[in-house]
Structure formats: structure tokens, C-alpha cells
Amino acid sequence: MENHANQSPAIPKWSALLIEAVTKPGLIMKAYSVFHAYSIGNQLLALVQCQRRGLQPGPINTFPKWKDLGRFVKRGERALTLCMPITCKRHDEDSDEENTFTSFVYKARWFVLAQTDGQELEPLTIPDWDAERAIKTLNIERVPFDHTDGNVQGFARKRQIAINPLAQLPYKTLFHELAHVILHTSEGDFTDTETTPRTLCEVEAESVALLCCESLGLEGAEYCRGYIQNWMSRGSASKGDAIPEKSAQKTFRAADQIIRAGRAEVPESHF
Ligand SMILES: [Zn+2]
């Protein structure tokens, strides 16, 4: 998601998409319900393009994939743009070796169901999601909650998390602490009271919690939304820059990891 060099001006930045998701309740849930095979960033990208063009959101596939499914793209339809990873090779002068690395490019290759015609499709099913499976797959350990301060909702230490058994929004706190492990605990421990300083790390963790709660339809999204909006309104930056682009990218990536880790089966690889 780093490379914006090939991006057309019509494609919003990740920070702008995240702010859309924060300010429009229901957007993430809608995107997940139809585009869950794709990363959250691409789900929102697809949904925003559908809305701008007045297209009914639905399954998306490339031209050849629609053909395989017995459908064809209608004449004159313009493809939607998604961000896809590509593997690049770089020649290392010193060791004389070929190194591979992943880069991200924007390609206009996808068409939504409403842009196609032909054979009926099987109805979409939303994959099951399980918290314990997610924790295990992420190689994170849930440890007993041993804080005596009742205001502490949860904490993250290296690859361990603990959630207060009396946490007001246990799923929200779980996602928040998982995000700290994925994004931050190499920088130190995180103990989350109700009055944790509102640093950028907290906004990133709370944004991950928002994306996960709303995608999966679990309680807590409204609380996250309030927290992030409050933080944004206190920033001196203009609204559009309130969440740095790099933080938005980290947030989308961590939320994807958590959601994919909790699914029963990994669907064919989508990005
Ligand atoms: Zn925190």
C-alpha cells in the first residue's frame, strides 16, 4: 500500500478512506458484507467507487473470472480500481543475488456484479469468525488479568494480552489489545485505562478495533468512533490529514490480519 505513484487522482488515499469509515456508521459493515474476500482497504475502495458511480455493491471479479462464472461484463462498463501486491525482483550488487520484495500498484481490472449479465450466482455467505482462533493463529497468548486497578480494561505485553473480565466492551478491548501486539508492543507494554493518553498509538489501536467490530457486527464500534472523532477534533491539522497516511495503512493491515486469523477457512487468496 506504500506506492501511490501509479494512483489516479480519483482514487482516495488510505487516510481518507479511514476517515470515511470513521465518520459514516455502517460503511464498513456494508463493505464487509459484500467484499469480505478482499482486504478492508480494498473493500472500502470498491464500495466508494460503487457509490460514486451509482452501482449496486456486490461480488467483484476480473473480466476472465466473470467469464469462468458464466457471466459477461456488459458493453461500455468501466473497471473498478483496486490496490494489488506485485512481487518485484531487485539485483543486489554486493552479493550478486536476486532479492524479491512486494510492491503495491493500483489496477483497474474489476467489475461488480451489477456491471455483468448472464448465469445466476450462488448467494454470498459471510465466513464465520472466532476470537480464540484469531488469537491462536496470530501466535498471541491470552493471559489472566492481574491488574488491581478496576479502570484497566486490558493490556498488551510483547505477544501476550489480557482482558479485564469486567471490561465494558470485551470485543472492542480484545481488538484494541491485539492491535497493540501487532503494531506496538515491540516499543513497550500497553496498559489501557479509561484515561490512557490519546497518543497516535491509541488512535491506531482504536481504529483497528472500529474496523474489526463493525466488520464482524460486534458491539463497540460506536465507542471507537466517538474516541477517534474526539481525537481528530482536537488535532490542529485539517480534518483530511487528521490520521497520517502511514497510520491508516498500518490500521488497515492489522485489522485484516485479525479478521483473517479468526476465520474457519482461508478463502482463495484475495488482497
Ligand atoms: Zn491502548
Side-chain angles (χ1 to χ4, degrees), residues 112-134:
V112 68
L113 177 68
Q115 297 176 291
T116 68
D117 228 329
Q119 210 172 298
E120 282 290 309
L121 280 194
E122 297 271 318
L124 272 184
T125 50
I126 298 183
D128 284 340
W129 189 88
D130 179 71
E132 296 313 315
R133 183 163 45 216

Side-chain angles (χ1 to χ4, degrees), residues 37-59:
Y38 291 84
S39 67
I40 301 178
N42 272 332
Q43 291 172 29
L44 289 170
L45 205 51
L47 185 61
V48 166
Q49 292 173 82
C50 283
Q51 289 179 339
R52 283 184 188 163
R53 296 202 213 160
L55 292 167
Q56 173 70 34

